[in-house]
Amino acid sequence: MSNPLADMAKPDVIFCIGTNMTECHPVAATGLKKAIARGASLVVADPRRTRLAEMADVYLPIRVGSDVALLLAMAHVIEREGLIDRAFIENRTEGWEEWRRHLKAFSPEWASAICQVPPVDIERAALLYGRGKPSGIYYTLGITEHICGVDNVQSLCNLALMTGNLGVEGGGINPMRGQNNIQGCGDCGAETFVFPGSVRIDDAAARDKFAQAYQRPDLDLGQPMTKVTALQECGKSIHAMLIDGENTVVSDPDRIHCEHALKSLEHLVVIEIFMTETARLAHVVLPATAWAETEGVATNTERRVQRLRAAVPPPGVAKPDWWIISQIARRLDVPGFEYESAGDVFDELCSLSPTYGGLSWERVSRESLNWPVPTPDHPGTPMLHVGEFTNGRGKFRVLGYRDPAEVIDSEYPVWLTTGRRLQSYHTRTQTGRASGIDYLLSEESLEIHPQDAVAWGFRDGDWAKVTSRRGSVKIKVRATERSPRGTVFASFSFADVPVNNLTGSGYDPTTHTAELKVCAVRIEKSSG
């Protein structure tokens, strides 16, 4: 996030797109509700009529996968109406004139045909966002899980740049992270093309620095591939894999392909707290400690680095993830893993990462700061981009709309979009074992608009067979106006309703993020 969570209560206008914050981030979203109670305006763009959409001043039920078209049209209106921040553009950006000329072709009328929302509503949304002082943008996986996920994010950046809504209190571009420490994982270099601190591995000076720190003068950078590529290479160039804390089989797209890939490995090791569907495929399962049993550090969605303290001892032989990985490395005679505590691991990270340079185990044990924290006396950086951008000037990206990887046709005439529900967390590895939560949500269902349900011959509770080009699932029907006509919704939480049998039509070419939010399906009656 460019701005701290506290800023959620401060915007004049809040623009939420591709996010179901009140269900997926219910605690953080209380700030948003405070802003609305104070009088802030809310614009929501989402194919589903979520509870957040019901609070909006302008709700845009756009067709799945049409975000770029909407954002181009909003930029068109903002430029046409002179709602740009000219001083910000001149002093802090580059590429404006090319972007301004590019926008001329993308009117609300043009976007309306793609997004399937009235042009007047696109105008209203653009005028609200453009006039807000400040306006803040919030998004989640509804923006990134597309073949054009990078284009979607860059389109939002263009809006913020042209209106000067960066580096200001209550503004910014704010992706809400889907898990509690996913930001921290990225900071540690979990992405294969960067070292800790997001330093690229093709930086020769950085490579020398890390080779020395890791006691590996011949540091092998391996193959900087994404998980998508790694799964494709299982049984070919990859013969062994270690999966730590992820139920890949249930959460990833195209489950049939995923299971086949993991079964193709000669050796699969899974580090987990429960025997998940993925762990059942492993040759070795190593029991890890859970959150309340672990000493460590987590970095949350607002870049706040937080010390975690164990509250209870771990059961049986469960060990912290860092200890398990260190022991594997030692047995492989890999130097540099002589850690004695989680503090040793964190202090090494701080010594190597520029954004963590002013932190230490001792400091994080008494303070909780937002990175970057470059020096020991630095107070942290709750808000990014104040007065300047780290890399110079903000760049407008000229881009256009493209269809999803898969569009509806006569064989697969219905859009499917997937997501999460308030009552369950991710693949229910943890929440699925709590009887109280099971009382609130005991099974998955397919949300169908009531008029579609009638037209397709379904009643509430009927069984449907949903089929895509990759597979089928059987699932109970629930008629609800949350889903628009022609679009159905289901979560991927339940392993016995493997919705990700259906997904996996395409991937963003830059990030390899799967297009989990768009899938063409057909729906038929089933006997259950």
Side-chain angles (χ1 to χ4, degrees):
M1 295 175 66
S2 66
N3 287 52
L5 286 167
D7 272 23
M8 199 178 287
K10 300 175 182 176
D12 186 20
V13 176
I14 304 161
F15 179 28
C16 294
I17 180 167
T19 177
N20 186 9
M21 284 172 59
T22 48
E23 286 201 54
C24 300
H25 302 86
V27 178
T30 55
L32 186 149
K33 294 175 181 176
K34 290 178 182 176
I36 296 170
R38 177 180 52 76
S41 299
L42 175 65
V43 176
V44 173
D46 194 310
R48 295 175 70 220
R49 192 176 187 83
T50 61
R51 297 190 188 285
L52 183 66
E54 291 172 350
M55 292 189 275
D57 297 274
V58 178
Y59 169 46
L60 301 165
I62 59 174
R63 195 214 70 206
V64 292
S66 64
D67 306 82
V68 167
L70 170 69
L71 298 172
L72 280 167
M74 287 179 63
H76 171 100
V77 173
I78 290 169
E79 190 280 330
R80 186 194 70 201
E81 297 299 319
L83 297 175
I84 61 173
D85 186 333
R86 191 165 298 281
F88 187 94
I89 291 170
E90 290 178 355
N91 295 327
R92 298 192 54 186
T93 72
E94 63 184 48
W96 165 247
E97 278 303 318
E98 184 183 4
W99 172 241
R100 186 185 67 79
R101 291 192 297 271
H102 178 70
L103 287 176
K104 297 294 183 186
F106 304 110
S107 67
E109 290 74 19
W110 167 83
S112 175
I114 298 170
C115 302
Q116 299 174 6
V117 295
V120 65
D121 287 347
I122 299 175
E123 292 261 359
R124 289 177 60 210
L127 294 175
L128 266 179
Y129 179 81
R131 288 169 178 161
K133 301 297 180 186
S135 291
I137 293 172
Y138 292 85
Y139 71 89
T140 51
L141 299 177
I143 279 293
T144 54
E145 289 183 342
H146 292 278
I147 61 163
C148 57
V150 170
D151 291 351
N152 287 344
V153 173
Q154 290 180 333
S155 297
L156 293 171
C157 292
N158 286 339
L159 279 187
L161 286 172
M162 64 194 295
T163 55
N165 274 306
L166 285 167
V168 295
E169 191 175 17
I173 302 173
N174 302 291
M176 303 293 292
R177 293 295 200 171
Q179 289 88 29
N180 59 335
N181 191 36
I182 194 167
Q183 179 67 58
C185 289
D187 296 346
C188 292
E191 297 167 295
T192 56
F193 59 92
V194 294
F195 291 118
S198 299
V199 179
R200 293 190 61 87
I201 61 173
D202 53 9
D203 180 326
R207 183 186 179 284
D208 291 343
K209 168 186 166 182
F210 282 91
Q212 183 176 2
Y214 293 157
Q215 305 172 45
R216 298 295 297 268
D218 58 343
L219 183 62
D220 180 2
L221 298 180
Q223 303 176 55
M225 62 178 66
T226 62
K227 185 171 67 173
V228 170
T229 305
L231 288 173
Q232 290 169 346
E233 288 298 310
C234 284
K236 301 174 187 172
S237 64
I238 294 178
H239 303 286
M241 185 175 287
L242 188 154
I243 297 177
D244 186 0
E246 182 176 80
N247 192 6
T248 304
V249 167
V250 180
S251 63
D252 276 34
D254 198 350
R255 177 170 174 164
I256 295 170
H257 161 71
C258 183
E259 286 187 347
H260 174 75
L262 296 182
K263 289 176 180 175
S264 301
L265 294 167
E266 295 175 17
H267 191 54
L268 173 63
V269 179
V270 170
I271 303 174
E272 257 298 356
I273 60 175
F274 293 114
M275 187 59 78
T276 64
E277 288 75 14
T278 304
R280 290 193 186 102
L281 299 179
H283 299 91
V284 178
V285 179
L286 299 170
T289 54
W291 61 275
E293 303 154 359
T294 305
E295 295 282 338
V297 174
T299 302
N300 74 2
T301 190
E302 63 169 357
R303 299 169 283 105
R304 182 178 294 277
V305 187
Q306 304 169 101
R307 173 80 155 79
L308 306 180
R309 292 174 172 82
V312 293
V317 296
K319 295 290 186 182
D321 301 68
W322 68 264
W323 186 92
I324 295 171
I325 294 169
S326 297
Q327 293 300 315
I328 292 173
R330 290 189 191 190
R331 283 156 175 76
L332 291 170
D333 292 328
V334 178
F337 282 83
E338 294 80 21
Y339 308 115
E340 296 297 329
S341 69
D344 290 348
V345 180
F346 186 70
D347 281 339
E348 181 190 281
L349 170 65
C350 296
S351 72
L352 295 170
S353 168
T355 51
Y356 283 61
L359 293 173
S360 64
W361 184 254
E362 186 278 328
R363 190 179 184 190
V364 80
S365 296
R366 55 183 167 80
E367 291 184 283
S368 178
L369 303 174
N370 308 74
W371 64 251
V373 188
T375 60
D377 59 350
H378 194 280
T381 312
M383 188 190 311
L384 300 175
H385 316 311
V386 179
E388 61 180 358
F389 294 108
T390 304
N391 298 324
R393 299 173 76 87
K395 295 180 175 61
F396 286 100
R397 299 290 185 186
V398 175
L399 43 82
Y401 168 78
R402 52 196 162 114
D403 279 334
E406 198 170 78
V407 296
I408 56 174
D409 56 23
S410 57
E411 189 175 2
Y412 301 98
V414 179
W415 297 105
L416 167 71
T417 188
T418 66
R420 301 179 184 181
R421 299 188 188 278
L422 173 66
Q423 299 88 348
S424 63
Y425 177 65
H426 216 46
T427 63
R428 299 177 76 246
T429 299
Q430 297 169 69
T431 56
R433 289 170 167 78
S435 58
I437 293 176
D438 193 52
Y439 172 78
L440 297 171
L441 182 70
S442 59
E443 62 183 359
E444 187 49 63
S445 58
L446 184 71
E447 294 183 1
I448 299 179
H449 190 278
Q451 293 181 33
D452 283 343
V454 171
W456 301 340
F458 288 107
R459 294 181 299 180
D460 253 355
D462 283 352
W463 284 92
K465 179 183 178 185
V466 185
T467 303
S468 77
R469 290 178 173 83
R470 287 154 294 283
S472 299
V473 297
K474 291 182 179 180
I475 183 171
K476 277 188 179 178
V477 166
R478 184 158 66 94
T480 170
E481 293 186 351
R482 291 210 179 284
S483 285
R485 294 206 65 179
T487 301
V488 297
F489 170 86
S491 85
F492 57 83
S493 297
F494 287 77
D496 60 347
V497 185
V499 171
N500 280 328
N501 279 3
L502 307 170
T503 58
S505 56
Y507 300 86
D508 183 285
T510 303
T511 63
H512 276 193
T513 298
E515 191 160 58
L516 291 167
K517 300 302 181 186
V518 184
C519 175
V521 298
R522 67 170 178 267
I523 300 173
E524 303 159 289
K525 299 275 285 187
S526 174
S527 56

